[in-house]
Amino acid sequence: MSAKSRVYNALLATGIPGREDAYPINKSPAPPFFVYTVESAGAFVADGTVYASLPRFHVELFEKVSDRTTEALVRDAILALGCVPDETGIWSESEFCHIEQYDFTYHNREE
């Protein structure tokens, strides 16, 4: 299973709806929901050999208001993958909602 599939499935297991990139205009569900992107796919390279591909994920959790319980579901799902997210919360005037952002690098230690 790909890193993208593992991350997406872990996020969906929270019970919060979501999808990759974005919802079509005026087609998003009512908050809370998430969207995620793969920001980059860096690599761990040493001595001219690529030892691991390290995709960097960006997840945005859209909420009517900040809800620590819902945010903990997403954070715990990311932590269960063995990743430690950087978190940032913002208020979006254009979306009229709170957006909790999680940025993390995924590395499957089993591969």
Side-chain angles (χ1 to χ4, degrees), residues 14-85:
T14 64
I16 301 167
R19 66 180 297 155
E20 185 177 2
D21 292 327
Y23 282 93
I25 295 173
N26 297 322
K27 299 289 184 182
S28 64
F33 65 89
F34 70 86
V35 295
Y36 78 98
T37 57
V38 179
E39 296 291 306
S40 63
F44 176 70
V45 181
D47 299 327
T49 302
V50 176
Y51 288 96
S53 175
L54 304 172
R56 181 97 177 138
F57 284 86
H58 177 77
V59 177
E60 292 184 342
L61 173 64
F62 291 78
E63 306 169 284
K64 289 182 181 180
V65 295
S66 179
D67 177 6
R68 296 295 173 205
T69 303
T70 303
E71 293 162 12
L73 289 173
V74 174
R75 182 183 323 101
D76 290 347
I78 295 168
L79 290 170
L81 291 166
C83 304
V84 179

